[in-house]
């Protein structure tokens, strides 16, 4: 009888361990899902912020007569990427360490001003000019494909031709 009681206690103890293991596994899975969501948000915000900064970097170029006639100017593209960032962010707040401001809907304009300046000073305005121009034109093309600016109404082939025209103008003018 004593032996049966010991076996019963061992079985119950095993069940307790299994429940604890299941709970730990569920918690680990929830943390992994949360981490993946955070990474996807970070990636989406980084991409759209990089494009916002690239447009800001070439804002004067886009607003000059010939590029403006091709693209519709900088404003639609800045608005598009600002909206994309705001929509991806939702009501979340991304904390930051100084000098970087926190990213939230309430602080979005301050964050974008900081991020554009940071990207221009540390990435777009430094190093490989051709790569920076490629980033800029890719962002213009991407936004146009999603309905932004005057190139939105063009066929993909015509849009690509206009992007190549922008690249040529940038190279010729040193923009």
């Amino acid at each position: 009888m004593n032996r049966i009681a010991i076996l019963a206690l061992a079985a119950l103890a095993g069940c307790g361990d299994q429940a604890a293991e299941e709970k730990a596994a569920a918690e680990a899975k929830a943390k992994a899902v949360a981490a993946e969501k955070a990474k996807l948000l970070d990636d989406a915000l980084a991409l759209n912020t990089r494009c916002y900064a690239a447009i800001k970097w070439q804002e004067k170029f886009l607003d000059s007569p010939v590029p403006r006639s091709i693209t519709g100017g900088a404003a639609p593209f800045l608005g598009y990427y600002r909206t994309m960032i705001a929509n991806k962010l939702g009501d979340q707040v991304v904390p930051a360490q100084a000098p970087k401001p926190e990213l939230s809907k309430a602080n979005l304009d301050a964050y974008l001003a900081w991020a554009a300046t940071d990207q221009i000073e540390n990435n777009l305005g430094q190093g490989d000019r051709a790569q920076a121009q490629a980033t800029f034109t890719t962002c213009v093309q991407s936004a146009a494909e999603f309905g932004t600016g005057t190139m939105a109404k063009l066929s993909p082939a015509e849009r690509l031709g206009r992007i190549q025209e922008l690249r040529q103008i940038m190279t010729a003018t040193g923009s």
Side-chain angles (χ1 to χ4, degrees):
M1 189 84 150
N2 195 8
R3 204 170 165 166
I4 293 175
I6 292 173
L7 289 174
L9 286 175
L12 287 175
C15 289
D17 287 345
Q18 185 176 358
E21 287 175 15
E22 288 175 2
K23 183 179 178 185
E27 288 174 359
K29 184 177 181 180
K31 285 181 183 178
V33 167
E36 180 63 23
K37 278 184 169 181
K39 182 176 178 353
L40 290 173
L41 175 65
D42 286 347
D43 290 349
L45 291 173
L47 172 67
N48 288 306
T49 300
R50 190 175 318 114
C51 282
Y52 181 91
I55 301 298
K56 203 71 168 152
W57 174 57
Q58 291 295 331
E59 185 173 15
K60 288 179 184 173
F61 170 75
L62 278 176
D63 286 337
S64 63
V66 174
R68 184 177 199 70
S69 69
I70 295 170
T71 64
F77 296 96
L78 291 170
Y80 171 79
Y81 284 110
R82 186 187 186 288
T83 300
M84 291 294 291
I85 293 164
N87 290 345
K88 291 283 181 194
L89 182 60
D91 291 330
Q92 298 179 65
V93 174
V94 178
Q97 300 217 358
K100 182 180 179 179
E102 79 173 15
L103 176 53
S104 65
K105 275 191 178 178
N107 201 38
L108 185 57
D109 291 325
Y111 177 84
L112 289 175
W114 173 86
T117 301
D118 182 64
Q119 285 282 320
I120 291 166
E121 289 175 358
N122 296 311
N123 297 322
L124 299 167
Q126 305 289 324
D128 187 358
R129 188 116 179 123
Q131 181 62 41
Q133 289 174 343
T135 298
F136 164 75
T137 55
T138 299
C139 292
V140 169
Q141 183 174 359
S142 177
E145 288 173 357
F146 286 100
T148 302
T150 56
M151 290 189 298
K153 298 174 185 169
L154 302 176
S155 72
E158 291 173 308
R159 193 168 28 252
L160 180 59
R162 293 301 195 135
I163 291 296
Q164 289 173 338
E165 188 178 347
L166 274 180
R167 287 181 180 143
Q168 291 170 349
I169 294 167
M170 289 180 82
T171 300
T173 61
S175 296

